């Protein structure tokens, strides 16, 4: 948090500093401040996909998944070969789960898993959507694939590393 604040004191017109501040606010559960910081980054560089992603990721945390999907789509449109595309897609899949769009969430989550930089978070949308649909057999298979990336993954780990403060989104 302090490093991003220092970066902005040195150059308040650097959109990357605003993106870093947005992510720092998100980690502190300061959701509106995180959206404002992402919006500042976008105002400075409307073509910065990472800024749209920071905004999108914060929006579903803030209980605004429909707006999040729009921002995710903009990030993906702006940088279709982005090295962190797996994160764009993983985050979008969670927003889709929150909207009840389970089949689309599964498809997007699986796209995320196919990216070279995919992480354990690439699996969350698929696992959540399959659970919501009552497809427990498929969910167990998906959990098994996730455990190939992180054998000790648990709900507690996900809750700790990806905290969602809005009760209706938990």
């Amino acid at each position: 948090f302090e490093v991003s604040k220092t970066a902005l004191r040195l150059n308040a017109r650097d959109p990357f500093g605003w993106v870093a501040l947005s992510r720092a606010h998100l980690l502190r559960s300061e959701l509106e401040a995180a959206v404002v910081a992402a919006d500042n980054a976008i105002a400075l560089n409307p073509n910065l996909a990472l800024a749209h992603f920071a905004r999108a990721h914060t929006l579903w945390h803030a209980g605004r998944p429909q707006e999040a999907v729009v921002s995710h789509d903009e990030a993906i449109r702006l940088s279709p070969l982005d090295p962190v595309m797996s994160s764009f897609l993983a985050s979008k899949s969670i927003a889709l789960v929150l909207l009840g769009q389970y089949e689309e969430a599964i498809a997007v989550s699986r796209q995320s898993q196919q990216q070279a930089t995919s992480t354990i978070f690439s699996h969350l949308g698929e696992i959540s959507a399959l659970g919501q649909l009552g497809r427990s057999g498929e969910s167990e298979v998906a959990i098994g694939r996730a455990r190939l990336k992180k054998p000790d993954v648990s709900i507690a780990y996900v809750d700790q590393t990806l905290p969602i403060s809005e009760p209706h989104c938990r």
Side-chain angles (χ1 to χ4, degrees), residues 6-118:
T6 299
L8 288 170
R9 277 194 295 277
L10 294 171
N11 183 1
R13 299 200 44 81
D14 179 5
F16 290 101
W18 288 104
V19 169
L21 183 61
S22 176
R23 300 294 289 169
H25 278 303
L26 175 61
L27 292 172
R28 294 163 59 122
S29 295
E30 298 166 354
L31 303 178
E32 286 309 311
V35 171
V36 168
D39 286 344
N40 286 339
I42 293 166
L44 290 167
N45 184 352
N47 296 315
L48 183 59
L50 199 56
H52 290 276
F53 168 66
R55 184 175 198 279
H57 196 71
T58 298
L59 285 170
W60 68 253
H61 275 272
R64 297 160 55 187
Q66 187 64 53
E67 292 173 76
V69 169
V70 172
S71 289
H72 281 113
D73 288 344
E74 184 65 3
I76 292 164
R77 183 191 71 77
L78 288 168
S79 189
L81 301 176
D82 201 288
V84 294
M85 181 58 69
S86 64
S87 295
F88 293 4
L89 294 168
S91 183
K92 180 180 177 180
S93 73
I94 295 169
L96 291 166
V97 168
L98 296 173
L99 289 169
Q101 296 176 10
Y102 302 126
E103 294 298 337
E104 188 177 356
I106 292 166
V108 171
S109 179
R110 288 177 179 166
Q111 270 186 283
S112 176
Q113 293 167 43
Q114 296 304 310
Q115 303 295 310
T117 58
S118 74

